Structure formats: structure tokens, C-alpha cells
Amino acid sequence: KESIVIYPEIVYGNPMLSKNVVRWLLFHYKYPLESRAYKDTDFFVAYRKIFNNIKLNPQEILLKINHFDRKLYRQYNFSERKGKCYIIRKGKYRDDLPQKFDGPCFDDNMSEEEVVKMFNEHKFCYCYDTQTFYSSIAAVCGCIPIVVLEAGKTELDYLSSEKENRHYVVAYGDSLEQINYAIETRDKLLNALDFDEKNKDNVSAFIELLEQKFGGVARL
């Protein structure tokens, strides 16, 4: 009865029948108008402000917890590269997807080791999933990530007003200026991937919020 269950945004309803529910929006919430998807007493938080639903989380409470496996995600190919690879994933329903691709496509159809190998073998990674951390992983592996802009959109349409609103190493479109920016900011990304202290602070602040919301003493 005192347990607190945290669901990601893809979960419909309350399958664990928990009295205390947190919904963590790691992407845009698909069910804001469906009364059976959640209860008014559910506690909504968002991973990023751009994913938040202002109706469900009017205070815009954010929870950022990050993990990066440096042993797995790394560059081991330092020779000359060529060719393209692609990230589809959340972009699988886009109208502008090509009928054929001239390189391998990652659509949750590979192991993490295979994804790393793909990023280490190719020079460019074109991202139809415009909100994915795999673009940063591609850069860590020495590949240049390029977000394929949707029709009528610009870089600003994919960024929020958060402090860290500019993604290092990501080119929005394949202009020379964008590609050069992606290359020049790679070192900044590598330095920013140490999440341990930030995670501890964010978890502590989140536990305080849970205690305020549900009462008692929250423990992970």
C-alpha cells in the first residue's frame, strides 16, 4: 500500500495496481485525453521540458537520470570513414522516410554492440528519430549525427527553452555550418557525459518531492 510505482509514458493505466503512481515522461505522452490511462492523483514529471504536458505537470517538474556505459559506447575505429547509416526508431511513422536506404538502419533491430559497430564504421548517421540519445552515442563512436529535418521545421522546433537547449555534436540538417558545429563540439559532449554527481543530486531532490506528494519516507 505504501509502494510508489514509476511508469514511463508508454504505460497505459496502472497494471501493478499501485496506490501511488508516478508517470515519468521520457517522451511525449500519448494518452492525455484518455480518462482510463491515468488518474488525477497520478504524479507527472518529465525527463525534459520539451516532453512535458503542461496540463498534467503544470509546475514543469523535471527528473533527469542518465547512464552512460563508457566501456560499451566508445570509438575504436580511428581510420578514415565513409558511408551513411540511419536511426529510425521513433521516426518510423514519418511521411518522408525513403523507400530504400543506402546504408544500415537502426530501428531497435540490433544489439547495442551491433549499433556501436555500425557507428564506428560510418562517417555520417542520419537521424529520422529527432529525439534520441543515440545521436550522441554515434558522435562518441566517431560518427557525425545529422537530424533529418521534417518539412517546414528548423532546428529550433526540436529544442526546448531548457538551459542545455543546444545539443552538442548534433547537426540539424546537413549544411556545412551544421556539420562543422557537430565536429567542433564533440569534446564538449565527451566532457559532459559524467553523470554521477548530477544523478545523486537529482535523485535526492526527487525523493523529497515523493515525500511531499505521497507522505512518509521515500526510499529507492
Side-chain angles (χ1 to χ4, degrees), residues 173-218:
D174 55 1
S175 70
L176 183 60
E177 178 185 6
Q178 287 284 341
I179 290 175
N180 285 340
Y181 178 90
I183 295 171
E184 292 166 0
T185 58
R186 182 172 181 267
D187 287 343
K188 292 183 178 180
L189 170 74
L190 297 177
N191 293 332
L193 288 175
D194 186 358
F195 298 122
D196 290 348
E197 288 303 316
K198 290 182 180 178
N199 284 345
K200 290 179 182 178
D201 292 341
N202 291 344
V203 168
S204 296
F206 182 56
I207 288 176
E208 290 184 11
L209 287 173
L210 295 182
E211 292 173 348
Q212 295 170 17
K213 173 69 176 177
F214 301 113
V217 177

Side-chain angles (χ1 to χ4, degrees), residues 22-190:
V22 177
R23 298 192 185 274
W24 191 11
L25 306 184
L26 302 170
F27 194 56
H28 302 289
Y29 192 50
K30 297 191 295 183
Y31 314 114
L33 302 178
E34 300 189 34
S35 59
R36 294 184 180 181
Y38 63 94
K39 291 185 177 180
D40 293 339
T41 54
D42 291 356
F43 184 37
F44 281 81
V45 297
Y47 175 71
R48 291 180 58 201
K49 190 174 180 179
I50 196 171
F51 300 149
N52 188 45
N53 185 300
I54 198 68
K55 175 187 174 184
L56 302 174
N57 181 16
Q59 295 178 294
E60 298 184 329
I61 298 171
L62 302 181
L63 172 62
K64 277 201 167 186
I65 305 295
N66 296 291
H67 171 69
F68 191 77
D69 188 340
R70 291 177 178 272
K71 292 182 179 179
L72 173 62
Y73 303 117
R74 63 186 179 87
Q75 179 179 359
Y76 54 77
N77 175 22
F78 293 91
S79 61
E80 185 176 354
R81 297 162 179 254
K82 61 181 180 179
K84 305 172 184 176
C85 59
Y86 299 85
I87 298 176
I88 308 299
R89 304 187 76 233
K90 294 190 291 292
K92 65 179 62 179
Y93 300 113
R94 287 179 52 163
D95 295 332
D96 58 347
L97 282 179
Q99 293 293 323
K100 295 183 179 180
F101 293 89
D102 55 355
C105 298
F106 172 45
D107 188 18
D108 293 329
N109 56 337
M110 302 179 180
S111 68
E112 293 301 285
E113 291 78 8
E114 290 172 328
V115 173
V116 169
K117 182 175 183 292
M118 179 182 77
F119 290 153
N120 267 277
E121 291 176 345
H122 295 85
K123 184 173 183 177
F124 298 106
C125 177
Y126 284 83
C127 306
Y128 284 88
D129 182 346
T130 62
Q131 300 287 347
T132 178
F133 190 66
Y134 279 104
S135 58
S136 295
I137 294 175
V140 169
C141 296
C143 190
I144 301 171
I146 301 173
V147 169
V148 181
L149 300 176
E150 297 165 276
K153 291 190 176 182
T154 69
E155 170 187 354
L156 297 179
D157 292 304
Y158 301 103
L159 303 175
S160 70
S161 58
E162 299 167 41
K163 183 177 179 180
E164 61 273 27
N165 65 348
R166 182 58 169 100
H167 284 181
Y168 295 139
V169 307
V170 176
Y172 288 85
D174 55 1
S175 70
L176 183 60
E177 178 185 6
Q178 287 284 341
I179 290 175
N180 285 340
Y181 178 90
I183 295 171
E184 292 166 0
T185 58
R186 182 172 181 267
D187 287 343
K188 292 183 178 180
L189 170 74
L190 297 177

